[in-house]
Amino acid sequence: DQQVKQNSPSLSVQEGRISILNCDYTNSMFDYFLWYKKYPAEGPTFLISISSIKDKNEDGRFTVFLNKSAKHLSLHIVPSQPGDSAVYFCAAQRRDNTGKLIFGQGTTLQVKP
Amino acid sequence: NAGVTQTPKFRVLKTGQSMTLLCAQDMNHEYMYWYRQDPGMGLRLIHYSVGEGTTAKGEVPDGYNVSRLKKQNFLLGLESAAPSQTSVYFCASSLHSGKSYNEQFFGPGTRLTVL
Protein backbone atom coordinates (compact mmCIF):
# COMPACT_ATOMS: atom_id res chain seq x y z
CA ASP A 1 0.00 0.00 0.00
CA GLN A 2 1.78 3.07 -1.30
CA GLN A 3 1.12 5.95 1.10
CA VAL A 4 2.96 8.50 -1.03
CA LYS A 5 2.52 8.46 -4.79
CA GLN A 6 4.10 10.31 -7.65
CA ASN A 7 2.02 9.26 -10.62
CA SER A 8 4.10 10.91 -13.32
CA PRO A 9 7.34 8.99 -13.92
CA SER A 10 8.74 11.73 -16.13
CA LEU A 11 8.29 15.36 -17.15
CA SER A 12 9.94 17.38 -19.90
CA VAL A 13 9.87 21.19 -19.99
CA GLN A 14 11.62 23.95 -21.91
CA GLU A 15 14.25 26.06 -20.21
CA GLY A 16 12.71 29.19 -18.69
CA ARG A 17 9.25 27.68 -18.35
CA ILE A 18 7.58 26.39 -15.19
CA SER A 19 8.01 22.80 -14.00
CA ILE A 20 5.25 21.36 -11.84
CA LEU A 21 5.85 18.07 -10.07
CA ASN A 22 2.96 16.43 -8.26
CA CYS A 23 2.63 14.15 -5.26
CA ASP A 24 -0.39 12.54 -3.59
CA TYR A 25 -0.64 10.92 -0.18
CA THR A 26 -3.19 8.81 1.62
CA ASN A 27 -2.40 9.25 5.33
CA SER A 28 -3.89 12.43 6.82
CA MET A 29 -1.62 12.04 9.87
CA PHE A 30 1.53 13.23 8.10
CA ASP A 31 2.98 16.38 9.68
CA TYR A 32 5.68 17.35 7.19
CA PHE A 33 6.38 16.91 3.52
CA LEU A 34 9.82 17.13 1.95
CA TRP A 35 11.18 17.25 -1.58
CA TYR A 36 14.51 15.70 -2.48
CA LYS A 37 16.49 16.03 -5.70
CA LYS A 38 18.74 13.27 -7.03
CA TYR A 39 21.35 13.38 -9.76
CA PRO A 40 22.62 10.13 -11.35
CA ALA A 41 25.23 8.27 -9.29
CA GLU A 42 24.68 10.58 -6.31
CA GLY A 43 22.59 10.41 -3.16
CA PRO A 44 19.39 12.46 -2.81
CA THR A 45 19.76 15.99 -1.46
CA PHE A 46 17.13 17.94 0.46
CA LEU A 47 15.41 20.69 -1.51
CA ILE A 48 12.47 22.15 0.40
CA SER A 49 9.88 21.20 3.00
CA ILE A 50 6.42 22.22 4.13
CA SER A 51 4.55 21.76 7.39
CA SER A 52 1.03 20.36 7.29
CA ILE A 53 -0.23 23.59 8.89
CA LYS A 54 0.98 25.64 5.93
CA ASP A 55 -0.29 25.74 2.37
CA LYS A 56 2.77 27.26 0.73
CA ASN A 57 6.51 27.48 1.23
CA GLU A 58 8.87 29.32 -1.08
CA ASP A 59 12.64 29.22 -1.45
CA GLY A 60 14.04 31.08 -4.42
CA ARG A 61 12.88 29.40 -7.64
CA PHE A 62 11.22 26.57 -5.72
CA THR A 63 7.75 26.71 -4.22
CA VAL A 64 5.82 23.87 -2.64
CA PHE A 65 2.04 24.00 -2.36
CA LEU A 66 0.00 21.79 -0.05
CA ASN A 67 -3.71 21.04 -0.45
CA LYS A 68 -4.66 19.06 2.63
CA SER A 69 -8.26 18.47 1.64
CA ALA A 70 -7.11 16.84 -1.59
CA LYS A 71 -4.08 15.19 0.07
CA HIS A 72 -1.96 16.64 -2.71
CA LEU A 73 1.25 18.63 -2.89
CA SER A 74 3.15 20.08 -5.79
CA LEU A 75 6.61 21.50 -6.39
CA HIS A 76 6.88 24.46 -8.75
CA ILE A 77 10.21 25.41 -10.30
CA VAL A 78 10.25 28.82 -11.97
CA PRO A 79 12.12 29.44 -14.18
CA SER A 80 13.35 25.95 -14.98
CA GLN A 81 17.04 25.55 -15.82
CA PRO A 82 18.92 22.67 -17.49
CA GLY A 83 20.73 22.05 -14.19
CA ASP A 84 17.35 21.21 -12.63
CA SER A 85 17.25 18.01 -14.69
CA ALA A 86 17.18 15.27 -12.06
CA VAL A 87 14.88 12.82 -10.28
CA TYR A 88 12.62 14.49 -7.71
CA PHE A 89 11.24 12.56 -4.77
CA CYS A 90 8.53 13.72 -2.42
CA ALA A 91 8.52 12.32 1.10
CA ALA A 92 6.16 12.43 4.05
CA GLN A 93 6.93 12.38 7.76
CA ARG A 94 5.02 12.09 11.00
CA ARG A 95 6.14 14.02 14.08
CA ASP A 96 7.55 11.15 16.16
CA ASN A 97 10.84 10.01 17.61
CA THR A 98 11.88 7.95 14.57
CA GLY A 99 12.16 10.65 11.90
CA LYS A 100 11.15 8.10 9.28
CA LEU A 101 10.43 9.38 5.79
CA ILE A 102 8.07 7.66 3.35
CA PHE A 103 9.10 8.34 -0.21
CA GLY A 104 7.19 8.46 -3.46
CA GLN A 105 8.42 6.69 -6.59
CA GLY A 106 10.11 9.76 -8.02
CA THR A 107 9.62 11.89 -11.14
CA THR A 108 12.42 12.40 -13.67
CA LEU A 109 12.52 16.01 -14.82
CA GLN A 110 14.25 16.95 -18.05
CA VAL A 111 14.73 20.64 -18.79
CA LYS A 112 15.59 21.22 -22.43
CA PRO A 113 17.79 24.17 -23.43
CA ASN B 1 33.66 17.28 6.60
CA ALA B 2 33.10 14.20 4.45
CA GLY B 3 29.40 14.01 5.40
CA VAL B 4 27.98 10.53 4.82
CA THR B 5 30.25 7.99 3.15
CA GLN B 6 29.45 4.47 1.99
CA THR B 7 31.76 1.53 1.35
CA PRO B 8 31.94 -0.10 -1.17
CA LYS B 9 30.57 1.83 -4.14
CA PHE B 10 29.95 -1.27 -6.24
CA ARG B 11 29.77 -4.98 -5.51
CA VAL B 12 28.81 -8.14 -7.36
CA LEU B 13 27.82 -11.18 -5.30
CA LYS B 14 26.78 -14.70 -6.10
CA THR B 15 23.55 -16.06 -4.65
CA GLY B 16 24.13 -17.25 -1.09
CA GLN B 17 27.21 -15.12 -0.42
CA SER B 18 27.28 -12.67 2.46
CA MET B 19 28.54 -9.12 2.70
CA THR B 20 28.47 -6.02 4.87
CA LEU B 21 27.87 -2.47 3.67
CA LEU B 22 29.46 0.23 5.79
CA CYS B 23 28.02 3.69 6.35
CA ALA B 24 29.95 6.36 8.21
CA GLN B 25 28.99 9.94 9.10
CA ASP B 26 31.10 12.69 10.67
CA MET B 27 28.27 15.08 11.56
CA ASN B 28 27.61 13.64 15.04
CA HIS B 29 24.08 12.67 13.98
CA GLU B 30 22.00 10.49 16.27
CA TYR B 31 19.73 9.02 13.61
CA MET B 32 20.83 6.76 10.75
CA TYR B 33 18.86 4.96 8.06
CA TRP B 34 19.36 2.34 5.35
CA TYR B 35 17.25 2.50 2.16
CA ARG B 36 17.11 0.58 -1.07
CA GLN B 37 16.14 2.15 -4.37
CA ASP B 38 14.60 0.07 -7.12
CA PRO B 39 13.18 1.26 -10.45
CA GLY B 40 9.63 2.55 -10.07
CA MET B 41 9.68 1.93 -6.30
CA GLY B 42 11.32 5.04 -4.90
CA LEU B 43 13.33 4.75 -1.70
CA ARG B 44 12.20 2.11 0.78
CA LEU B 45 13.42 2.01 4.37
CA ILE B 46 15.17 -1.22 5.37
CA HIS B 47 16.32 -0.54 8.95
CA TYR B 48 17.03 2.50 11.04
CA SER B 49 18.69 3.55 14.28
CA VAL B 50 17.74 6.36 16.66
CA GLY B 51 21.04 6.22 18.54
CA GLU B 52 24.16 4.23 19.28
CA GLY B 53 23.31 0.65 20.22
CA THR B 54 19.73 0.81 18.89
CA THR B 55 18.22 -0.56 15.70
CA ALA B 56 14.69 -1.01 14.38
CA LYS B 57 12.97 -2.51 11.36
CA GLY B 58 11.74 -0.40 8.52
CA GLU B 59 9.42 -1.18 5.63
CA VAL B 60 11.46 -3.97 3.96
CA PRO B 61 13.75 -5.57 6.61
CA ASP B 62 13.64 -9.23 5.53
CA GLY B 63 17.02 -10.66 4.51
CA TYR B 64 18.99 -7.83 6.14
CA ASN B 65 20.56 -7.22 9.53
CA VAL B 66 22.10 -4.06 10.95
CA SER B 67 24.34 -2.95 13.77
CA ARG B 68 25.12 0.44 15.33
CA LEU B 69 28.00 -0.24 17.71
CA LYS B 70 29.45 3.24 17.26
CA LYS B 71 27.50 6.45 16.82
CA GLN B 72 29.22 7.32 13.56
CA ASN B 73 28.82 3.93 11.87
CA PHE B 74 25.78 1.97 10.68
CA LEU B 75 26.41 -1.45 9.11
CA LEU B 76 24.01 -3.30 6.82
CA GLY B 77 24.53 -7.04 6.45
CA LEU B 78 23.26 -9.55 3.94
CA GLU B 79 23.73 -13.05 5.36
CA SER B 80 22.71 -14.99 2.25
CA ALA B 81 22.31 -12.76 -0.78
CA ALA B 82 19.44 -13.32 -3.22
CA PRO B 83 18.90 -11.87 -6.72
CA SER B 84 15.94 -9.91 -5.31
CA GLN B 85 18.45 -7.91 -3.28
CA THR B 86 20.01 -6.46 -6.41
CA SER B 87 19.51 -2.76 -5.84
CA VAL B 88 21.13 0.56 -5.04
CA TYR B 89 21.53 1.02 -1.30
CA PHE B 90 21.59 4.43 0.35
CA CYS B 91 22.52 5.34 3.87
CA ALA B 92 21.30 8.56 5.49
CA SER B 93 21.78 10.35 8.78
CA SER B 94 20.06 13.20 10.60
CA LEU B 95 19.92 15.17 13.82
CA HIS B 96 16.13 14.96 14.13
CA SER B 97 14.79 16.92 17.07
CA GLY B 98 11.29 15.45 16.78
CA LYS B 99 9.96 19.01 16.64
CA SER B 100 10.36 19.73 12.94
CA TYR B 101 10.93 18.13 9.58
CA ASN B 102 13.70 15.56 9.50
CA GLU B 103 16.30 16.58 6.94
CA GLN B 104 18.22 13.43 6.18
CA PHE B 105 21.67 13.61 4.60
CA PHE B 106 22.38 10.83 2.14
CA GLY B 107 25.52 9.01 1.11
CA PRO B 108 26.44 8.42 -2.56
CA GLY B 109 25.02 4.89 -2.63
CA THR B 110 26.26 1.33 -3.15
CA ARG B 111 25.23 -0.50 -6.29
CA LEU B 112 24.86 -4.20 -5.50
CA THR B 113 24.27 -6.93 -8.05
CA VAL B 114 23.43 -10.48 -6.95
CA LEU B 115 23.86 -13.11 -9.65
Side-chain angles (χ1 to χ4, degrees):
Chain A
D1 182 27
Q2 191 100 25
Q3 295 188 65
V4 179
K5 296 182 182 179
Q6 294 175 256
N7 292 316
S8 298
S10 62
L11 175 68
S12 181
V13 300
Q14 209 65 35
E15 180 179 6
R17 306 295 290 270
I18 184 172
S19 296
I20 300 176
L21 296 98
N22 295 304
C23 181
D24 297 295
Y25 61 96
T26 57
N27 189 340
S28 59
M29 300 299 289
F30 289 131
D31 297 292
Y32 302 100
F33 300 92
L34 296 80
W35 284 93
Y36 276 80
K37 176 179 180 179
K38 183 186 178 306
Y39 292 119
E42 295 183 10
T45 55
F46 171 75
L47 192 56
I48 191 169
S49 69
I50 188 167
S51 165
S52 61
I53 62 173
K54 305 283 188 182
D55 55 17
K56 177 183 175 181
N57 188 27
E58 190 173 355
D59 184 2
R61 297 186 297 114
F62 302 91
T63 303
V64 57
F65 295 92
L66 176 62
N67 182 333
K68 286 191 70 176
S69 60
K71 295 189 177 67
H72 176 84
L73 63 153
S74 60
L75 175 68
H76 293 212
I77 307 174
V78 184
S80 301
Q81 300 173 354
D84 295 329
S85 297
V87 179
Y88 289 79
F89 292 99
C90 69
Q93 176 198 339
R94 292 190 64 177
R95 188 187 294 114
D96 61 21
N97 65 349
T98 70
K100 290 189 293 184
L101 299 178
I102 299 174
F103 285 86
Q105 305 96 310
T107 297
T108 300
L109 172 66
Q110 183 184 26
V111 181
K112 298 180 178 179
Chain B
N1 284 354
V4 180
T5 58
Q6 293 183 232
T7 309
K9 288 185 169 48
F10 303 94
R11 186 73 186 269
V12 178
L13 289 179
K14 294 181 179 178
T15 298
Q17 287 185 319
S18 63
M19 79 162 294
T20 300
L21 282 68
L22 171 64
C23 175
Q25 52 94 5
D26 61 2
M27 297 175 282
N28 202 33
H29 285 169
E30 288 290 338
Y31 293 74
M32 296 188 75
Y33 308 84
W34 274 108
Y35 295 90
R36 60 178 288 173
Q37 184 195 4
D38 302 293
M41 302 291 286
L43 291 149
R44 293 183 292 168
L45 183 65
I46 304 171
H47 286 281
Y48 65 99
S49 168
V50 300
E52 180 179 318
T54 75
T55 62
K57 293 180 180 180
E59 182 186 357
V60 288
D62 294 342
Y64 305 95
N65 56 75
V66 287
S67 64
R68 183 99 181 267
L69 299 179
K70 293 182 178 180
K71 185 177 183 178
Q72 63 267 36
N73 295 338
F74 195 27
L75 278 64
L76 178 70
L78 287 73
E79 290 186 349
S80 179
S84 61
Q85 294 178 303
T86 293
S87 188
V88 181
Y89 292 85
F90 289 100
C91 175
S93 70
S94 71
L95 278 173
H96 188 46
S97 66
K99 299 177 183 177
S100 182
Y101 66 91
N102 183 26
E103 180 181 349
Q104 296 182 12
F105 295 81
F106 283 81
T110 295
R111 183 174 293 275
L112 175 66
T113 302
V114 183
L115 302 176

